[in-house]
Amino acid sequence: MGFTRRELSGSLLAMSAVAAVSETRAGAAGLDGATDPLQVARLHRQMRFAGDGQVFFWWLQGRRYGLVDNVLTPFFDMHVGSVHRCIDQGDGRYQVIGAQMGYYTHLETGALLENWLNPITGANVALAYAPPRANTGNFDPTGTVEPASANGAERRHVLGPVSVVGDSVWLREETYVVVPASAAVAASGGSIGASRPLRVHDMYTLQSPRAALRDSGALPRWVPALGQFNDFNSWSPRFQMGDRPGTSLSRCAGRKERRWRDLPEKFRALAAQVHPEWARAPARILG
């Protein structure tokens, strides 16, 4: 959740779908290999988001690593949770309001990391956890309202194709973001130095039951979903790597949930420890 994650969270949320909504029911026979933007975007909303007014949650658990000279070094474990609400605005338009938070824990003890011994540089790095904040993504029937390039960052988003294996539907999603070095320095208020662009590559694989997608109609019903996540990024400035060559990457997996109490106990305990007001009423942040 360093500068790259923190400053871009709203933009990444807004770019997380090609937000076209089709009222046509997607029969199972027509899903495998589907590339039609309307159909794929509709499936994506069902799998990743929810129907009008529904509050829902996502969690991911995993580990972050550093990759230098093709040597993979574990950094710490990651515990990520988020709360969201979809709001229909008519004519196929809708908003997704969301807030997320991630916590890092020691690989051996599981304790919250507030000071981390960087295994690559040997530096003792202070880790702070700023309060979560809400971000809004606006969607219309043909794509997001936000332009592909904003605030100096260039973004590319790829959805699909869809795969059907047995009773499961799988959907791939990839987001590529490049933040010029000058924009990274400006966005941090000059608190970091950067001589190279920051590059973020987020990759999701979403999985839902085929029957749930077939029966959900025009999005009134809840569709369960699992998510696998990997990212491949420039060093977060908070890791204090300077211009050292290398890549930060993670592997995580998680699930969409109806209720806060269904998120993993470990994440909820960390949230209660670090951000108790948010943990007591997580949906209040959405307004």
Side-chain angles (χ1 to χ4, degrees):
M1 301 291 291
F3 161 75
T4 301
R5 278 282 178 272
R6 187 72 179 165
E7 295 298 325
L8 294 178
S9 60
S11 296
L12 289 175
L13 177 63
M15 289 299 295
S16 62
V18 179
V21 179
S22 170
E23 296 298 325
T24 302
R25 294 169 67 93
L31 291 180
D32 197 22
T35 57
D36 175 73
L38 294 177
Q39 185 182 33
V40 173
R42 176 180 176 275
L43 289 170
H44 182 267
R45 178 177 174 179
Q46 292 173 298
M47 296 169 76
R48 183 153 184 180
F49 299 135
D52 182 39
Q54 288 182 306
V55 173
F56 61 98
F57 303 87
W58 269 98
W59 60 267
L60 293 169
Q61 291 184 155
R63 181 164 291 184
R64 182 159 295 284
Y65 305 80
L67 185 66
V68 177
D69 292 332
N70 212 32
V71 176
L72 196 64
T73 301
F75 279 2
F76 38 70
D77 286 332
M78 303 168 59
H79 307 267
V80 181
S82 58
V83 56
H84 311 265
R85 178 189 287 117
C86 282
I87 303 173
D88 285 338
Q89 297 182 309
D91 298 326
R93 300 175 183 272
Y94 67 98
Q95 287 185 334
V96 180
I97 305 171
Q100 71 171 17
M101 194 63 229
Y103 305 103
Y104 302 151
T105 58
H106 193 279
L107 293 172
E108 296 178 0
T109 68
L112 179 72
L113 280 176
E114 297 178 285
N115 291 281
W116 170 61
L117 183 62
N118 186 323
I120 293 176
T121 67
N124 190 30
V125 179
L127 298 177
Y129 302 91
R133 64 186 183 193
N135 295 283
T136 300
N138 294 291
F139 302 89
D140 64 28
T142 60
T144 59
V145 173
E146 183 183 58
S149 179
N151 300 323
E154 302 220 349
R155 300 167 177 80
R156 181 167 61 93
H157 184 257
V158 180
L159 271 181
V162 178
S163 298
V164 178
V165 181
D167 294 330
S168 295
V169 177
W170 303 81
L171 174 60
R172 295 195 300 270
E173 177 185 4
E174 300 174 359
T175 303
Y176 303 84
V177 182
V178 180
V179 182
S182 58
V185 174
S188 70
S191 63
I192 68 168
S195 61
R196 300 173 180 167
L198 296 177
R199 300 181 183 273
V200 176
H201 312 81
D202 284 351
M203 300 184 180
Y204 286 90
T205 303
L206 303 172
Q207 182 265 322
S208 291
R210 187 173 65 182
L213 291 168
R214 183 178 62 242
D215 295 339
S216 63
L219 305 175
R221 295 184 55 182
W222 173 261
V223 175
L226 302 176
Q228 297 174 349
F229 173 78
N230 296 90
D231 64 7
F232 304 86
N233 305 329
S234 304
W235 298 124
S236 168
R238 77 185 306 186
F239 298 161
Q240 300 180 17
M241 293 291 192
D243 287 330
R244 181 185 302 269
T247 300
S248 169
L249 61 95
S250 70
R251 57 185 300 229
C252 300
R255 188 168 62 203
K256 186 170 67 173
E257 305 284 7
R258 294 176 184 268
R259 304 170 300 184
W260 173 263
R261 65 175 178 266
D262 293 330
L263 273 63
E265 182 178 357
K266 179 70 173 182
F267 171 81
R268 289 185 287 111
L270 289 166
Q273 175 184 347
V274 182
H275 300 115
E277 291 188 7
W278 184 54
R280 283 195 293 269
R284 187 177 298 171
I285 197 172
L286 302 180

